[in-house]
Structures are given as C-alpha cells and as structure tokens.
Amino acid sequence: MTAPADGAQDSWRYRIEHITRFVYSEPVRRCTMSLCLQPLQAPGQRLVDFSVKTTPPSRLTTETDPFGNTRHVLTLHQDHNMLEVVSTSEVEMEPPLALHESLGMSTWDEVRAVGADPKWWDFTSASPLARPSPALSDFIRQLGVERRDGPLADLIALSDALNDAFEYMPGATSVDSTIDEFLTSCKGVCQDYTHVMVAIARSWGVPTRYVSGYLHVTDPGSGQPGSAFGAATHAWAETHLPRLGWIGLDPTNRSLADQKYVRIAVGRDYQDVPPTRGVIAGGGDSQLDVDVRMTLL
C-alpha cells in the first residue's frame, strides 16, 4: 500500500478538461441527459471554477442529488448528428492528513455501532453492483483476508490483497458488469476492483461509498501489477472510520487517495454516478468518444 507522502505541505491545483462526444448514424430529434461532471466541494478539495458547454448549444439546469453531488440536466430539442459536451474544472487539493491514529481491534465495536445507525444504511447495505453473492463469499474465503488487527489496517490489507488477486485489463468488463462476472475472469478495470472493495467492506459493517473522479498519474516507471498508469477518469472506495472520517482506498493502484485524486461524485456504486446518462429520440447507431486532459498548474 502506497501512503500519502509525509511533509507534503503545499496545495496542488489542477485544470481538468473533460470532453464527451456522441456521434449518431441518424439524426437525434430530442435529447435529455443527466451530466455528473462537476467535482465536489468537500473537505480537502476546493472547487475553484467549473463550466460546461455543449455543441450544439443546449438548455442546462442544475440540481443536487441525494448524495450531495451536483448534476446538470441537458435538454436539446433540435435535430443533431453529433453532441459534444465539454466540462472545464479548476480544483485545489490540500495535502492529506497523516494517518497517525491507531485503531485497534476494539474499534470494530465502534464501527458496528455506526453501521447500525439508519443514516449510514445507504453505505452499509447492498446496492445493485456491490452486493453479496455465493461467488463473492467463496472469493473472500480464498483471499484469506479478515478482521484481525483494526479497521484501518484490515482495510488496507484488503485493498492490497485485491490488487494482487486481479489483473487490470481494459475492455474485459463493461459498466454493467456484476461482481460475479468479474470474479469469473479476475480481469477488469477500476470500477470492478472498487465494487468488490465496497461489497466486502460493507459486509464487515464499514460505511463504504463508491467514488468517481480523476487520477493524476505521474510515475510511468512504477511497474506495479494492476497499475492504471495513464488513466485520468478513475474510481476508488471511501470508508468511514471512527476519529478518521472518510479514508480513500484505491485497490486498483494499491494506494491511499491523496492529492492526485480529485473527486467528482460519491454514491452506492457506479449506477449512482455515471458521467452521462439520458434518453434520445432517433439517433440510430451511436459512437462515444471521451478525452480527459488533466494538468497540474
């Protein structure tokens, strides 16, 4: 597990351009789409500026979902064969707090008490893409990871074990793939690693949420198995622990979330936070292209 570097005292500021382009074989007459692209305003992360523009121009309204994410609703009532959505963000990331707090085995009692509180049920109960199954139970037994030291140490050990167990392979799964499908091949992407992490942590009674965001990767020579080097859009898990609050764990890259991780949205699993989702009238066949440019200013 790679921990945040000690002594990193300066804030980092990023400029992020996220371009999504839909090309249709036949004209689209009407389109309504929910965009989940605006980074969170949250502890350790300050949203300095955000804008979203579309080609052709569309009507955009803003709303906040039940998890506190900001969404833009796009409405376009004119014929078009191409729709381009460009969001531009400027985000300032504070250095992460050092995790000096020791959480012993007795802390698991506090975790279980928190999990019994109804306000945490969204993040302690099963969700469509992060739910228990016989295949997951068998995998957990084979993995050999269990609660034996304390919540933080045990969750870090779980994240490391998942990194060892799976192979990072784009295209091996889809956004709708279930945990059972992923466990059959043990090949997938950050979304799959995160769903397994979320499901197991919740089975331990830990409030755990799915995070969508951006990862600024700077070290091409890391050579870590499962490393998602070069990725910009990313997913990881956050677990809520007594006295520490939300802690980001990235099993795909065997690391704790630090200043390189910019959060867009949080939810129960991917289905709560896709970057785009909507309905169209017409369109025929479609092609989706996404390009993300993340610059450390």
Side-chain angles (χ1 to χ4, degrees):
M1 171 65 68
T2 302
D6 291 334
Q9 299 300 320
D10 295 331
S11 296
W12 293 5
R13 183 174 291 202
Y14 296 103
R15 178 180 173 85
I16 305 161
E17 188 175 41
H18 190 148
I19 304 168
T20 307
R21 185 178 296 108
F22 301 89
V23 179
Y24 306 100
S25 61
E26 300 175 10
V28 172
R29 299 184 300 277
R30 294 184 302 277
C31 170
T32 301
M33 187 176 297
S34 174
L35 309 177
C36 191
L37 297 168
Q38 179 171 315
L40 290 168
Q41 192 81 262
Q45 175 173 306
R46 185 171 72 91
L47 181 62
V48 179
D49 190 35
F50 178 80
S51 65
V52 59
K53 298 180 180 178
T54 71
T55 305
S58 63
R59 179 172 179 265
L60 291 167
T61 58
T62 306
E63 62 183 25
T64 303
D65 72 13
F67 303 107
N69 307 309
T70 299
R71 298 176 181 272
H72 292 80
V73 179
L74 178 160
T75 306
L76 182 57
H77 288 179
Q78 72 176 68
D79 286 1
H80 57 281
N81 288 86
M82 185 275 293
L83 172 62
E84 183 176 78
V85 180
V86 179
S87 68
T88 305
S89 311
E90 193 166 314
V91 183
E92 188 170 272
M93 303 297 298
E94 297 176 3
L97 299 176
L99 298 178
H100 296 312
E101 184 76 43
S102 177
L103 301 179
M105 276 298 291
S106 62
T107 314
W108 277 114
D109 294 332
E110 297 179 55
V111 171
R112 282 189 285 270
V114 168
D117 188 329
K119 78 174 184 179
W120 295 108
W121 284 357
D122 277 336
F123 301 127
T124 56
S125 303
S127 58
L129 293 178
R131 60 174 56 255
S133 70
L136 182 61
S137 297
D138 289 343
F139 172 77
I140 294 171
R141 284 192 293 270
Q142 295 169 12
L143 200 63
V145 176
E146 57 186 21
R147 292 166 288 184
R148 58 167 60 96
D149 294 319
L152 180 59
D154 291 341
L155 288 164
I156 290 174
L158 170 61
S159 181
D160 289 352
L162 295 181
N163 181 270
D164 292 335
F166 302 131
E167 179 182 355
Y168 186 86
M169 183 176 290
T173 55
S174 71
V175 295
D176 298 318
S177 292
T178 65
I179 284 178
D180 286 4
E181 291 170 333
F182 177 47
L183 294 178
T184 298
S185 67
C186 291
K187 298 177 181 179
V189 293
C190 55
Q191 172 186 307
D192 306 300
Y193 285 70
T194 301
H195 282 150
V196 175
M197 178 83 193
V198 167
I200 296 176
R202 287 178 185 167
S203 75
W204 290 354
V206 182
T208 307
R209 61 192 185 186
Y210 181 101
V211 186
S212 70
Y214 303 108
L215 171 60
H216 186 247
V217 183
T218 57
D219 182 11
S222 64
Q224 291 288 341
S227 174
F229 172 71
T233 55
H234 197 46
W236 61 97
E238 284 187 343
T239 59
H240 194 277
L241 297 176
R243 298 182 294 283
L244 296 179
W246 289 107
I247 303 297
L249 292 150
D250 179 7
T252 311
N253 288 294
R254 203 185 187 97
S255 67
L256 291 166
D258 57 14
Q259 286 170 291
K260 298 187 295 294
Y261 292 76
V262 175
R263 291 162 285 170
I264 298 175
V266 298
R268 295 165 298 177
D269 58 37
Y270 173 81
Q271 289 190 0
D272 286 333
V273 293
T276 58
R277 172 184 285 158
V279 293
I280 62 174
D285 296 328
S286 64
Q287 177 182 330
L288 170 63
D289 294 309
V290 178
D291 184 22
V292 176
R293 304 163 189 171
M294 187 172 182
T295 306
L296 180 62
L297 299 179

